[in-house]
Amino acid sequence: MHIYINQENQQFHLTNGQVSYIFHVMKNGQLGHLYYGKALRHRSDFSHLQVYDVPTGASCHVYADDPSFVLETLRQEYPAYGNSDFREPAISVRKENESHVPTFTYDSFSVLEGKPRLLGLPATYGNEASTLQILLKDEFLQAELTLNYTIFPDKPVITRSATLRNYGGENLVIERLMGAALDLPDKDFIFTHLAGAWARERHVKERVLETGIQSISSLRGASSHHHNPFLALRRPNATEHSGEVYGFNFVYSSNFIMQVEVDHYDMARLTVGIHPFGFQWGLAPKETFQTPEVVMVYSDQGLNGMSQALHQLYRENLIPERWKSEDRPILINNWEATYFDFDEDKLVNIAKSASELGIEMLVLDDGWFGKRNDDTSSLGDWHVDFNKLPNGLESLAKKINDAGMKFGLWFEPEMISPNSELFKNHPDWAVGMADQHRTLGRNQLVLDFSRPEIVDYLYEKMSGIIKQTNLSYIKWDMNRNITEPFSQKLASNQQGEFFHRYILGVYSLYERLTSEFPHVLFESCAGGGGRFDAGMLYYAPQTWTSDNTDAVERLKIQYGTSFAYPLYSMGSHVSAVPNHQTYRETPLSTRANTAYFGTFGYELDPLSLTEEEREEIKGQVAFYKEQRRLIREGHFYRLLSPFSGNETAWMVVSPDQSEALVGYYKVLATPNSRKQQTLPLSGLSADKAYEVNGRTYYGDELMQVGLQLPTEFNGVNMRSSKRRGDFQSNIFYLKSTDENLD
Ligand code: DGJ
């Protein structure tokens, strides 16, 4: 791994043998972008990669005597608007009462071992990384802009962020400060992203990049169910397994934009950052503002290569240290089993019954506090409801522990019900102006997390309960988006800071709780998957993927989520049938076969199961315990996409390629179809022999010819066929053997 600095040419080359990222100082002192992609051999001069050409027709040039220095035709590192570049910029900052085009010019650089933490923000970390910081200055604004670039050894990853410091004596106003900008030389890409809504999150969407602006974004105060802060630009010939793909992920959980502007010369400018709409940040003298981080991945091994790089980065350099190598408990959550209707006996019986099945933790979901018998009250009143749990939480926790189970608890810390003691005592704690209309979502308002005293209050409540109950796990929910986004504590000219201050408050509560209670496992949740982002994974290594637990729907949701996020970050549970979201009835085996590819659990009432179902579940739990290390550490390959047809397949291969788990799913039965269907696998060692279903094959055969799939209907005696009907699936476990097949 190396950061080459050519002081004479003022060029910078970050490379690690997998990727190269090259830029330089242009003649006006601004930074010009030269190259990002597959690693290039270093050379003393790369300046020829920037093409200066006199554009035809009307154009504006910076220097009277040099018509070729036109910023709208030059690739830049961190562009501004208004100085012969007419594209949307990375930065817009001004003095409070004066106009100026930001002109940040090169001052100096520094190289750091490791990676400095970002100010109050989640971010990747790694002592083994190297960081290049470029300092630029705008003398008029009296401001310093630092562009931070980190490169990791053995990973095709570069991370970026920007820091702005006011070293002058006047107030500055930031209107836009992107985490990163990237000018690509052409537009020959497919814009691939993850979009959806509640209960159908992160479906894969693709469109051809075209002239004009295309973007994904959120203005909801959460990264959202609707657009995920992830974007891939893949070459049109790139597939899951081969070809060039650039992946981008924003490590942030609030309003964001990821935008590509294709100009009249077919150059593509990517900008990723906090959404500038409604954003405005006052920077007083001596203050600093840092953007959240942008993760950039390059893959020449298709979309799977991009995803594996992101997964590896998040496993090794993002999630809390402790959870990198520790198994997560198989849990049972009472939500779909009881909703709000439970008491201590019911919960203890569920725990005992689940414990007999091998399940390791009971999570008590919504409804244990205040007077919460439905979703119309009590958010904010974080004390136990003695009507439901007369012996209190401590006693319940002890009984659950005595049943051999860990105890986990649901909170929705960021919310307040108008019908709550908290609201009676602190009506001004809710987001929005007291004398103006406030829109409800699920009957609730949002607590103003931009105010430190409110965050302190939640910290006291939550830490008290953690200690009192010997808690092992917290599900942190967030069930509505933010409307009327104003804080009663911020001055009117500061309201543009509200959304970012809010999420900094959320991060600070997570930071305090996770550092004081590192043994407590956090699962983030936002009405299912409304905040599934890398920012959350920094604190909570798993996320409730979706409120939709239907196995067929989950194929799409989990397939899409895996584009950016590791398997072991996806909460995936087996629930009852008919499914509560789709009313579909899928076999118990298919529900588990889908849920295995995530952090496994159950979302049903074990007391209502038949003996046969209980036996099957015992087998599932035992199987997952054997496989969870593979799910945590393995390399994930998507094989057949649920977005392209009736069949889905994926597999996970251990890092040493000695074992693999394959999932194959067929949504609708297709009678009398192919008799000799095979599924070509990926990621195995071509030379190793693998045993699967009592037979042995070399890896090359399994990857070239494929794994033989069972016949769906046996034709002769359809009724006795094991695989029949819709929603069928198979799991194959492959183990390498020493058998010689030569
Ligand atoms: C939404 C979550 O996604 C569900 O799992 C459940 O916790 C409910 N909220 C409880 O209100």
Side-chain angles (χ1 to χ4, degrees):
M1 182 174 68
H2 215 93
I3 298 181
Y4 293 99
I5 317 277
N6 185 332
Q7 303 232 39
E8 202 187 315
N9 297 336
Q10 295 193 304
Q11 289 177 12
F12 305 88
H13 179 190
L14 294 94
T15 187
N16 58 7
Q18 299 196 27
V19 288
S20 278
Y21 192 97
I22 309 171
F23 59 95
H24 69 155
V25 181
M26 299 188 294
K27 82 174 194 184
N28 70 341
Q30 283 178 236
L31 294 184
H33 180 73
L34 294 175
Y35 175 80
Y36 171 44
K38 194 177 172 76
L40 295 182
R41 191 190 161 127
H42 184 67
R43 54 182 287 175
S44 57
D45 186 12
F46 281 110
S47 55
H48 54 280
L49 294 175
Q50 182 76 283
V51 179
Y52 297 88
D53 201 1
V54 182
T56 50
S59 66
C60 306
H61 40 98
V62 176
Y63 300 103
D65 60 352
D66 182 0
S68 71
F69 199 82
V70 176
L71 287 169
E72 74 173 308
T73 65
L74 293 174
R75 288 187 290 141
Q76 295 158 68
E77 270 309 292
Y78 204 75
Y81 164 85
N83 51 358
S84 80
D85 189 340
F86 300 92
R87 293 167 287 180
E88 292 216 352
I91 182 167
S92 177
V93 54
R94 58 178 171 83
K95 284 189 185 173
E96 240 172 6
N97 300 312
E98 280 180 276
S99 306
H100 169 69
V101 169
T103 315
F104 284 90
T105 55
Y106 177 73
D107 181 89
S108 55
F109 74 91
S110 48
V111 174
L112 311 173
E113 286 313 312
K115 183 168 188 288
R117 284 206 61 171
L118 271 67
L119 308 170
L121 288 163
T124 57
Y125 53 81
N127 293 335
E128 72 287 11
S130 298
T131 301
L132 171 64
Q133 293 186 319
I134 305 289
L135 183 70
L136 304 138
K137 279 191 180 164
D138 183 315
E139 299 293 350
F140 175 85
L141 292 172
Q142 305 251 292
E144 276 175 10
L145 173 68
T146 305
L147 302 185
N148 307 295
Y149 300 83
T150 295
I151 185 161
F152 296 82
D154 309 324
K155 291 189 176 89
V157 174
I158 297 217
T159 63
R160 294 180 56 184
S161 68
T163 316
L164 193 68
R165 191 175 81 86
N166 180 352
Y167 67 83
E170 290 177 64
N171 289 338
L172 300 178
V173 180
I174 304 173
E175 289 164 336
R176 171 195 295 247
L177 199 68
M178 292 288 119
L182 178 68
D183 282 349
L184 292 157
D186 65 83
K187 68 163 175 65
D188 202 11
F189 291 104
I190 309 292
F191 182 106
T192 306
H193 66 109
L194 305 171
W198 175 79
R200 62 170 169 80
E201 296 89 341
R202 289 172 300 285
H203 282 204
V204 178
K205 302 284 173 190
E206 296 207 317
R207 62 181 123 137
V208 176
L209 210 55
E210 251 317 330
T211 307
I213 289 178
Q214 33 258 287
S215 69
I216 51 169
S217 63
S218 167
L219 287 170
R220 294 169 177 269
S223 47
S224 89
H225 297 87
H226 311 84
H227 284 168
N228 193 267
F230 159 82
L231 172 66
L233 295 177
R234 73 165 173 86
R235 293 294 184 188
N237 64 0
T239 66
E240 282 284 15
H241 306 283
S242 66
E244 274 200 315
V245 182
Y246 293 86
F248 305 92
N249 210 188
F250 195 33
V251 187
Y252 194 54
S253 316
S254 186
N255 295 354
F256 73 92
I257 187 158
M258 302 180 96
Q259 168 175 306
V260 182
E261 177 170 1
V262 177
D263 69 11
H264 47 294
Y265 293 117
D266 282 353
M267 289 203 293
R269 168 171 295 170
L270 170 88
T271 42
V272 179
I274 295 177
H275 202 306
F277 177 82
F279 172 80
Q280 185 166 295
W281 192 275
L283 201 65
K286 308 256 171 331
E287 280 184 355
T288 298
F289 181 88
Q290 180 157 30
T291 71
E293 175 168 81
V294 179
V295 171
M296 313 200 311
V297 171
Y298 168 80
S299 161
D300 59 358
Q301 284 153 42
L303 289 160
N304 274 319
M306 169 203 69
S307 300
Q308 284 160 11
L310 286 169
H311 296 177
Q312 198 190 351
L313 181 76
Y314 295 162
R315 274 197 304 256
E316 295 173 3
N317 303 88
L318 182 70
I319 66 168
E321 199 65 48
R322 181 185 184 106
W323 300 108
K324 287 181 182 175
S325 53
E326 206 164 302
D327 284 336
R328 319 262 177 81
I330 299 176
L331 64 87
I332 185 157
N333 181 303
N334 75 310
W335 179 241
E336 290 194 5
T338 67
Y339 293 103
F340 295 100
D341 181 19
F342 57 81
D343 56 24
E344 185 179 288
D345 279 352
K346 214 181 214 178
L347 295 172
V348 173
N349 287 336
I350 288 179
K352 284 184 178 155
S353 170
S355 177
E356 286 163 16
L357 302 174
I359 294 172
E360 298 159 314
M361 178 163 76
L362 177 100
V363 175
L364 172 52
D365 209 281
D366 196 354
W368 57 266
F369 51 92
K371 296 185 182 122
R372 190 148 163 106
N373 296 317
D374 54 34
D375 63 14
T376 60
S377 84
S378 302
L379 291 168
D381 298 344
W382 298 112
H383 51 77
V384 72
D385 177 357
F386 283 107
N387 285 324
K388 281 185 195 165
L389 303 171
N391 304 315
L393 269 186
E394 207 174 329
S395 148
L396 173 70
K398 190 168 176 319
K399 286 183 183 156
I400 303 248
N401 292 160
D402 290 346
M405 302 272 277
K406 293 181 170 169
F407 181 51
L409 205 53
W410 180 96
F411 285 91
E412 197 175 2
E414 297 154 71
M415 297 294 150
I416 180 165
S417 303
N419 182 8
S420 66
E421 291 159 33
L422 189 68
F423 191 75
K424 253 182 234 134
N425 297 334
H426 298 284
D428 62 312
W429 280 20
V431 169
M433 295 307 187
D435 54 351
Q436 293 176 30
H437 175 75
R438 284 193 275 210
T439 304
L440 293 174
R442 206 195 189 201
N443 308 304
Q444 64 206 48
L445 295 170
V446 181
L447 274 174
D448 184 354
F449 260 52
S450 72
R451 290 168 61 174
E453 71 275 24
I454 296 180
V455 174
D456 287 347
Y457 174 84
L458 268 302
Y459 171 77
E460 292 305 328
K461 290 282 166 203
M462 291 174 80
S463 57
I465 291 171
I466 294 174
K467 287 180 198 149
Q468 184 199 13
T469 57
N470 181 29
L471 205 59
S472 299
Y473 162 106
I474 286 180
K475 178 174 173 186
W476 178 322
D477 206 347
M478 191 247 191
N479 279 297
R480 60 158 293 179
N481 291 144
I482 299 177
T483 53
E484 294 86 25
F486 307 108
S487 166
Q488 297 189 32
K489 268 286 168 80
L490 289 172
S492 62
N493 66 353
Q494 275 190 299
Q495 295 294 346
E497 301 176 9
F498 168 75
F499 274 120
H500 187 58
R501 286 189 184 276
Y502 176 95
I503 204 70
L504 291 179
V506 172
Y507 291 150
S508 77
L509 183 55
Y510 259 120
E511 180 72 42
R512 286 166 77 178
L513 292 171
T514 50
S515 26
E516 185 167 346
F517 306 103
H519 65 281
V520 176
L521 171 65
F522 281 77
E523 176 153 354
S524 76
C525 171
R531 210 159 57 178
F532 202 134
D533 57 62
M536 284 289 129
L537 289 181
Y538 177 77
Y539 307 101
Q542 60 196 58
T543 304
W544 182 225
T545 313
S546 175
D547 274 352
N548 195 336
T549 54
D550 174 72
V552 174
E553 293 298 309
R554 276 299 188 113
L555 292 176
K556 286 185 175 155
I557 295 169
Q558 292 176 205
Y559 192 96
T561 305
S562 78
F563 269 54
Y565 308 104
L567 285 193
Y568 215 43
S569 66
M570 295 184 218
S572 52
H573 301 170
V574 173
S575 59
V577 287
N579 176 269
H580 293 199
Q581 292 76 38
T582 60
Y583 301 97
R584 190 179 281 133
E585 299 211 22
T586 55
L588 183 54
S589 56
T590 290
R591 280 174 271 156
N593 290 347
T594 308
Y596 289 146
F597 291 83
T599 47
F600 191 62
Y602 288 83
E603 195 95 4
L604 45 70
D605 182 358
L607 302 164
S608 64
L609 296 169
T610 64
E611 257 328 294
E612 202 186 337
E613 286 169 333
R614 287 181 64 81
E615 281 312 305
E616 192 172 341
I617 288 181
K618 266 188 205 163
Q620 293 173 351
V621 170
F623 178 74
Y624 187 77
K625 284 180 183 167
E626 281 166 21
Q627 304 299 333
R628 64 181 152 190
R629 179 163 180 190
L630 182 56
I631 299 292
R632 187 180 75 229
E633 294 176 354
H635 299 163
F636 184 63
Y637 291 85
R638 293 174 297 268
L639 302 174
L640 294 176
S641 168
F643 299 101
S644 337
N646 191 27
E647 289 154 85
T648 300
W650 50 42
M651 66 186 289
V652 57
V653 184
S654 64
D656 66 358
Q657 297 173 303
S658 67
E659 49 178 349
L661 194 67
V662 180
Y664 167 75
Y665 315 83
K666 187 162 188 176
V667 175
L668 294 180
T670 51
N672 207 11
S673 54
R674 292 172 61 186
K675 298 288 175 228
Q676 293 255 319
Q677 196 183 352
T678 52
L679 174 69
L681 303 184
S682 270
L684 301 172
S685 159
D687 300 328
K688 279 196 165 109
Y690 292 91
E691 205 179 282
V692 49
N693 280 354
R695 292 201 179 163
T696 310
Y697 311 83
Y698 281 127
D700 63 345
E701 185 184 329
L702 290 169
M703 293 190 286
Q704 285 306 121
V705 182
L707 182 69
Q708 182 75 47
L709 294 171
T711 308
E712 187 171 351
F713 293 91
N714 70 11
V716 182
N717 184 359
M718 283 195 356
R719 279 178 180 282
S720 72
S721 165
K722 271 197 166 171
R723 296 181 66 238
R724 57 169 191 254
D726 295 336
F727 321 128
Q728 300 299 319
S729 64
N730 279 93
I731 289 289
F732 304 90
Y733 175 68
L734 284 72
K735 177 90 190 133
S736 67
T737 94
D738 292 336
E739 199 177 323
N740 188 339
L741 305 175
D742 294 352

